[in-house]
Amino acid sequence: MPQQNKKIRSRRPKTGDDYNLSEEHRVSKRKRDNVQENIGDDTASLANSGSEHAPQGYDVSEWMPDDVEQPEIQFFGFLTEDEHAQIERANDELDANQFSVSEECFASVMKENRGGFSNLTNGNDSESMEDLFLLMLDELEGNFAFLMTDKFGSHALRSLLSVVRGVPLNDESKTKASSRPGPFEQQTHRKLESREHLPESFTRAAEKILSDITSGLDVGSARSLSLHPSANPVLQSLLHLEKHITKRQSDSEPRLLKLLITEDKIDAESESYGFISGLIYDPIGSRLLEQILICCNGKLFKSLYRAVIKPKLSQYVKNEVASYVAIASLDRLGKDDLAEALAGFVLDMSDSSKRPQTTVIRKLVERCVFRGVDMDILRTALTAGYGTNSARFLFNLLGVEPIDLENKEKRLQPQVVHASLLAQSMIDAPAALSNLVYSSLGELSERELVTISCNAISSRILQKALTSESSELAFRRKIVRKLTEYMGILAADLYGGHVLDALWVATSSLFIYKERVAEKLLANETMILASGKGWIVWRNWDMETFKSTRQRWAIKHKSGKGHSKISAERREGVEIVSQKSRLDLARQRYGESKRSRML
């Protein structure tokens, strides 16, 4: 049997015979070496002579084998010594991050270029971030009108307006004028805590920007920009900027608002009436009208509401676009006007085809709670519209069936989300409305209650009902009894775990029920810890302590000491207030008295 040839590494150096090269390849190698030597000689001669011209190229085909594909390679020349040295110096400076310009030279250049917005500073010698920002505004001066209508420049201009106004960039409205806020997004205008520390130069810069933009606009151009997709959001930011300036300076008048609405008193025959009526149903223009209703003074708002919005309010609340204008007007209504608007809404509540948008009903409930308006007529209208059966009221309000909530792969409509938010607002309302939700949840069967608990949208209603201050002990006992046998299922579910976190708060005054829930969780330990989210519930309920030393767990959580900390990612909107024991209060008083004696 022939022995297989094995490759053995040799210690001696290999020769040409070892590579088994043919004579043709060895000749080609010698030719290639000769060509490279010639190129090296030409390179040296060109570098020494400093010639800027190079040979057209070398034909590499004469030294390449015939069976090898010949690449297209050409030589185009060399850099001179001066050019090469200049590039080397630039690379060294970039690598070292050191430039030859001195600080005195830079400061003199900055002072020479100071002008426009830069003159608004206090004249400090050192260039701060404030000065650099104003220098940037210098570069943009004269181009604000162009940036308003530019697809990308309008975003930068809105960010600049937010900075000079002292508003966080993440509090700005949507980038698209036709977009609407998401169902869970809070449309609240939070005030910047450090607004009183806003530089005075920013206020003067804001006035200059506003005057530069409005000086080049007339009534026709300003109204045409209100329907422009890119300029409309900029006009909204300018309205808020103008409101900010007007508050700081009582003698200043709103110039942009005067261009959009020329009359102080509006009626059906005025010129501004037709302009405002055309904005209400426009997807882009309605956003500007919302901001006009927010930023205008009380006198102009009353004129707009009585002449334009109030006569057709019952029609606006049924339209998907115009309903947002109605919501903006409800925010500024007084108690009497709000009660009058409520009386007009309830007339069409029983007919689902004529029923107002769910977002409008939610805003109406929130404003009635804030203004202290009686909502008995709204309770009657909701009962007539969504059914008198308590067990079916919640599903009729959401517009879904229990089987739809069980199918987690099915994507629910946005109306379901708005209906869930309406139910949560009703829980915060007085007993006239909150009892509708409480009674509906109490009448549900165990399976339906578990289905609601394990759904992303409907589970928020149950969490709100369990943790609300208006929930009664009888309601919480009933919910805990119905869910006791399903604690393992809830703990293993992503959204059911949120309900168990809410049950911890709900059973703070019902320790016997808290103990029952812990026993059921311990009985389903294997299933809970095997799931991806169950360990969070296990940790939040401090089950390791309950498992090892039950008496210690009872003493710890019955007195409120060492309250189990619900994780932040699982505790959305639910706040735990830990109660201090008498011993903790005594220790606190002793520490305060000791510190006072030391002082």
Side-chain angles (χ1 to χ4, degrees):
M1 184 175 180
Q3 186 178 0
Q4 296 181 354
N5 296 327
K6 295 184 180 179
K7 294 182 180 180
I8 302 175
R9 294 186 178 183
S10 176
R11 295 182 179 272
R12 64 181 179 82
K14 295 182 179 180
T15 61
D17 296 335
D18 297 324
Y19 290 99
N20 195 19
L21 294 177
S22 62
E23 185 65 26
E24 181 180 359
H25 284 78
R26 284 196 292 271
V27 172
S28 299
K29 184 176 183 302
R30 286 196 296 270
K31 289 183 178 181
R32 183 168 66 251
D33 295 339
N34 294 332
V35 171
Q36 289 180 351
E37 291 177 358
N38 294 333
I39 292 176
D41 297 338
D42 293 339
T43 302
S45 61
L46 285 173
N48 294 329
S49 62
S51 175
E52 298 180 358
H53 301 283
Q56 297 297 326
Y58 292 94
D59 188 10
V60 297
S61 60
E62 60 185 29
W63 52 269
M64 291 292 290
D66 297 336
D67 56 345
V68 178
E69 184 179 357
Q70 300 179 2
E72 297 180 0
I73 302 175
Q74 288 185 346
F75 176 75
F76 294 98
F78 300 94
L79 293 174
T80 63
E81 289 184 352
D82 296 337
E83 293 173 342
H84 183 72
Q86 185 178 2
I87 293 176
E88 287 294 333
R89 286 195 302 270
N91 287 333
D92 294 340
E93 290 182 357
L94 290 175
D95 293 337
N97 197 17
Q98 295 176 358
F99 302 94
S100 59
V101 181
S102 62
E103 295 183 0
E104 292 79 6
C105 179
F106 177 75
S108 63
V109 171
M110 298 291 282
K111 288 183 179 179
E112 290 177 1
N113 294 333
R114 186 180 294 280
F117 288 92
S118 304
N119 291 326
L120 301 176
T121 59
N122 297 325
N124 297 330
D125 294 336
S126 61
E127 299 296 335
S128 62
M129 192 66 188
E130 173 189 353
D131 300 329
L132 296 176
F133 184 82
L134 294 174
L135 286 170
M136 180 180 60
L137 293 179
D138 279 342
E139 301 295 331
L140 297 177
E141 187 176 3
N143 298 312
F144 293 122
F146 167 75
L147 293 176
M148 287 181 62
T149 57
D150 187 72
K151 183 178 180 181
F152 304 103
S154 60
H155 295 276
L157 181 57
R158 290 171 60 198
S159 300
L160 295 177
L161 294 176
S162 300
V163 172
V164 298
R165 188 161 56 99
V167 175
L169 297 181
N170 56 356
D171 281 356
E172 279 296 295
S173 57
K174 291 293 184 180
T175 55
K176 294 183 179 179
S178 59
S179 63
R180 288 300 179 187
F184 288 113
E185 294 180 9
Q186 301 294 331
Q187 296 298 308
T188 56
H189 299 276
R190 295 175 295 176
K191 296 182 179 180
L192 184 63
E193 296 179 358
S194 60
R195 178 169 291 183
E196 61 272 10
H197 304 294
L198 190 68
E200 195 65 29
S201 59
F202 278 20
T203 303
R204 294 192 291 268
E207 296 175 4
K208 194 173 187 307
I209 293 174
L210 190 60
S211 62
D212 290 349
I213 293 177
T214 54
S215 61
L217 295 177
D218 55 7
V219 176
S221 58
R223 291 182 176 180
S224 62
L225 289 176
S226 63
L227 300 178
H228 195 278
S230 299
N232 183 285
V234 179
L235 289 178
Q236 298 177 38
S237 300
L238 289 174
L239 284 174
H240 284 282
L241 180 63
E242 190 175 58
K243 180 183 177 182
H244 171 65
I245 296 174
T246 307
K247 282 185 177 181
R248 296 176 67 96
Q249 301 177 1
S250 58
D251 56 342
S252 62
E253 295 183 357
R255 289 167 287 183
L256 180 60
L257 191 59
K258 283 290 184 182
L259 292 175
L260 297 173
I261 303 177
T262 55
E263 297 89 1
D264 294 333
K265 187 177 182 180
I266 301 175
D267 52 22
E269 298 179 357
S270 61
E271 182 185 1
S272 301
Y273 179 85
F275 168 68
I276 297 172
S277 300
L279 294 179
I280 293 178
Y281 289 101
D282 188 81
I284 298 177
S286 61
R287 296 301 302 265
L288 181 62
L289 184 55
E290 292 178 44
Q291 304 305 319
I292 291 175
L293 294 174
I294 294 173
C295 297
C296 67
N297 53 42
K299 182 180 178 181
L300 181 58
F301 172 76
K302 290 180 181 179
S303 179
L304 283 171
Y305 177 75
R306 292 173 181 174
V308 183
I309 299 176
K310 183 179 179 181
K312 298 182 180 180
L313 185 61
S314 59
Q315 301 178 12
Y316 296 153
V317 297
K318 301 168 189 175
N319 186 269
E320 185 177 358
V321 176
S323 60
Y324 288 94
V325 179
I327 290 174
S329 62
L330 290 176
D331 272 329
R332 299 193 61 177
L333 290 182
K335 184 175 181 181
D336 297 335
D337 292 333
L338 197 61
E340 187 177 355
L342 176 61
F345 287 167
V346 298
L347 297 177
D348 299 330
M349 198 76 73
S350 58
D351 190 355
S352 59
S353 61
K354 300 180 181 180
R355 189 178 300 158
Q357 295 286 326
T358 310
T359 53
V360 180
I361 303 176
R362 176 195 168 199
K363 176 58 69 174
L364 187 64
V365 171
E366 293 175 353
R367 298 308 299 172
C368 287
V369 172
F370 180 78
R371 296 291 185 185
V373 180
D374 187 14
M375 290 183 286
D376 290 337
I377 57 175
L378 183 59
R379 172 191 170 88
T380 305
L382 289 174
T383 305
Y386 295 104
T388 56
N389 186 3
S390 299
R392 295 292 307 170
F393 176 81
L394 192 59
F395 289 108
N396 293 337
L397 181 64
L398 295 175
V400 294
E401 295 295 331
I403 191 173
D404 298 329
L405 298 179
E406 292 178 359
N407 188 5
K408 295 185 178 182
E409 297 181 358
K410 182 178 180 180
R411 187 172 183 178
L412 301 177
Q413 297 295 327
Q415 290 79 3
V416 182
V417 181
H418 290 296
S420 174
L421 294 173
L422 172 59
Q424 297 174 48
S425 300
M426 292 171 62
I427 292 174
D428 292 331
L433 288 181
S434 59
N435 287 339
L436 290 176
V437 181
Y438 285 131
S439 59
S440 180
L441 289 172
E443 294 296 329
L444 294 177
S445 63
E446 296 179 358
R447 181 179 178 181
E448 291 174 343
L449 203 58
V450 173
T451 302
I452 286 181
S453 302
C454 295
N455 184 265
I457 299 174
S458 58
S459 63
R460 294 176 179 266
I461 304 175
L462 186 56
Q463 295 173 47
K464 183 73 173 181
L466 290 171
T467 57
S468 177
E469 296 179 356
S470 60
S471 63
E472 299 178 354
L473 291 176
F475 167 76
R476 285 179 276 170
R477 290 194 192 99
K478 185 183 294 186
I479 297 299
V480 173
R481 289 196 205 101
K482 291 184 178 182
L483 295 178
T484 301
E485 299 298 328
Y486 303 93
M487 292 301 170
I489 299 176
L490 295 179
D493 187 79
L494 174 61
Y495 307 107
H498 290 282
V499 177
L500 279 174
D501 292 343
L503 282 176
W504 177 272
V505 182
T507 56
S508 57
S509 58
L510 301 171
F511 184 76
I512 297 177
Y513 290 89
K514 186 189 293 287
E515 206 168 16
R516 291 180 185 176
V517 174
E519 290 174 356
K520 291 297 180 180
L521 291 176
L522 184 61
N524 296 275
E525 178 184 2
T526 305
M527 180 177 65
I528 293 173
L529 296 180
S531 62
K533 303 296 181 179
W535 66 271
I536 302 178
V537 178
W538 189 266
R539 180 192 61 190
N540 293 342
W541 277 76
D542 196 12
M543 291 304 299
E544 290 297 331
T545 307
F546 183 83
K547 180 181 178 181
S548 60
T549 312
R550 181 169 177 174
Q551 184 178 3
R552 180 186 173 189
W553 183 89
I555 296 173
K556 181 179 178 181
H557 299 296
K558 188 175 183 179
S559 61
K561 181 181 178 180
H563 221 306
S564 180
K565 296 180 180 180
I566 305 300
S567 56
E569 67 273 10
R570 299 295 305 275
R571 298 298 318 204
E572 300 179 9
V574 180
E575 182 180 0
I576 295 179
V577 180
S578 59
Q579 300 177 356
K580 293 184 178 180
S581 62
R582 294 181 179 179
L583 183 59
D584 292 335
L585 293 174
R587 287 173 177 171
Q588 183 179 358
R589 289 194 299 268
Y590 176 74
E592 293 175 356
S593 62
K594 187 176 181 180
R595 284 192 297 269
S596 62
R597 288 195 301 269
M598 292 176 64
L599 295 175

